[in-house]
Amino acid sequence: MKDGKFITLGIETSCDETAAAVVADGRDLLSNIISTQIDIHTAYGGVVPEIASRKHLEDINRCIQAALDEAKVSMDQVDLIGVTYGPGLIGALVIGVAAAKALTLATGKPLIGVNHMHGHISSNYLTYSKLEPPFLSLVVSGGHTNIVYVKDYNDYEVLGGTRDDAIGEAYDKVARVIGLGYPGGPKIDGAAREGDPDAIQFKRVYLEKGSYDFSFSGIKTQVLNYVNSETQAGREVNINDVAAGFQEACTEVITEKIIDAAKELKENRIVVAGGVAANSRLREMLAGKCDAMGIELFLPDKSLCTDNAAMIACAAHYEYKLGREDDLKLDAYANLDF
Ligand code: KG4
Ligand code: ZN
């Protein structure tokens, strides 16, 4: 499958998915292998870092081989190895970084450490073959909620972020409070479809006018207080209504803030990224508002919203083409800024 194309092998182990993928010329997805650990962590109600690391170690070689096999390329035909080096769980990250460095050491192929958040944004390049920076991006994941101006493939300006919980974190915590369990985002998304978004009004937190920052810890407390007071009063809590009310409040704030940012910065393209980009209500509300405002909306294919290695291979491709290269001193960083 090489045909003169530039082949990148991507590796991703930042949290609870062991993933490897092969991308040709930065945009052409040849394989995308994801070995999820969801079933294992469900028993604990969330990701257990030590278990995640051990599982990555067990799965990583098999995933890499499966990605090469499915893409019908040999390691010899790979031109570049890209690996997530942060942010994420440190014990999980080092497994991917060690695997990538071992491959570089054995083959002499160039190596690039990819910032996981740059990877998420890059999932859009795989979904929209003609999309190129600059554009305004909304990043909504388990660890991040950011409004970012993407000036180039390797140049990001963060305009705002969460002051407390990330949106995905809020989904996961609220899901636990209402007994939906892990992973919270998809479970709330599903429950909300059966609920009434107007039955319970949770307060929307917009912070100061003009701010591109977010705060989601308050709404989590509001849900907790609501559930406790209803339970104490002997009333049955309608979980679907709570899920729908919570989701509606968060989605409204996020949508309003990114649309305001686009208006103020005179940007007519919004590119969404991260696990919460899979949320059906967020996709629907953004689509409706962008349509009304004449803004072009880019949503990653649902299969590329949550963690995967295809987005890492894509980001690595562009960083390499713009002149960056790492060496065997590459390290993993739990906290890595945009
Ligand atoms: O981007 P991601 O896979 O990992 C991080 O980089 O954090 O995002 C995971 C987050 C989790 O909090 C998960 O609950 C959330 O994305 N998520 C969703 C949906 N699917 C995943 N949140 C809302 N609705 C969904 N359908
Ligand atoms: Zn992620």
Side-chain angles (χ1 to χ4, degrees), residues 52 104 112 131 140 144 198 205 214 220 243 257 269 283 306:
T104 289
I112 290 256
L131 177 67
V140 279
H144 287 73
D198 300 318
V205 178
F214 298 89
K220 176 193 66 194
K257 287 229 172 207
R269 296 193 300 172
R283 293 173 86 94
T306 43

Side-chain angles (χ1 to χ4, degrees), residues 12 14-15 116-117 120 141-143 274-275 305-308 311:
E12 152 68 40
S14 69
C15 190
H116 182 76
M117 306 320 295
H120 272 302
S141 74
C305 288
T306 43
D307 293 346
N308 64 83
M311 65 186 196

Side-chain angles (χ1 to χ4, degrees), residues 6-70:
F6 188 90
I7 303 286
T8 305
L9 169 69
I11 298 173
E12 152 68 40
T13 63
S14 69
C15 190
D16 57 350
E17 325 278 2
T18 315
V22 177
V23 169
D25 289 341
R27 302 264 175 163
D28 193 3
L29 187 51
L30 301 185
S31 65
N32 189 20
I33 305 293
I34 302 172
S35 169
T36 182
Q37 304 177 359
I38 285 179
D39 287 350
I40 298 163
H41 298 292
T42 297
Y44 304 92
V47 180
V48 183
E50 177 62 23
I51 295 175
S53 311
R54 284 167 190 241
K55 197 74 185 107
H56 285 309
L57 194 54
E58 274 173 40
D59 286 355
I60 188 70
N61 288 345
R62 186 180 55 78
C63 283
I64 292 170
Q65 193 56 55
L68 294 170
D69 290 348
E70 198 177 301

Side-chain angles (χ1 to χ4, degrees), residues 97 196 245 307 319:
V97 170
D196 175 1
D307 293 346
E319 293 242 359

Side-chain angles (χ1 to χ4, degrees), residues 9-13 81-86 93 95-101 111-115 312-313 316 330:
L9 169 69
I11 298 173
E12 152 68 40
T13 63
I81 298 163
V83 61
T84 304
Y85 76 114
L93 288 164
I95 307 297
V97 170
K101 289 203 292 192
L111 173 72
I112 290 256
V114 174
N115 182 314
I312 302 304
L330 179 70

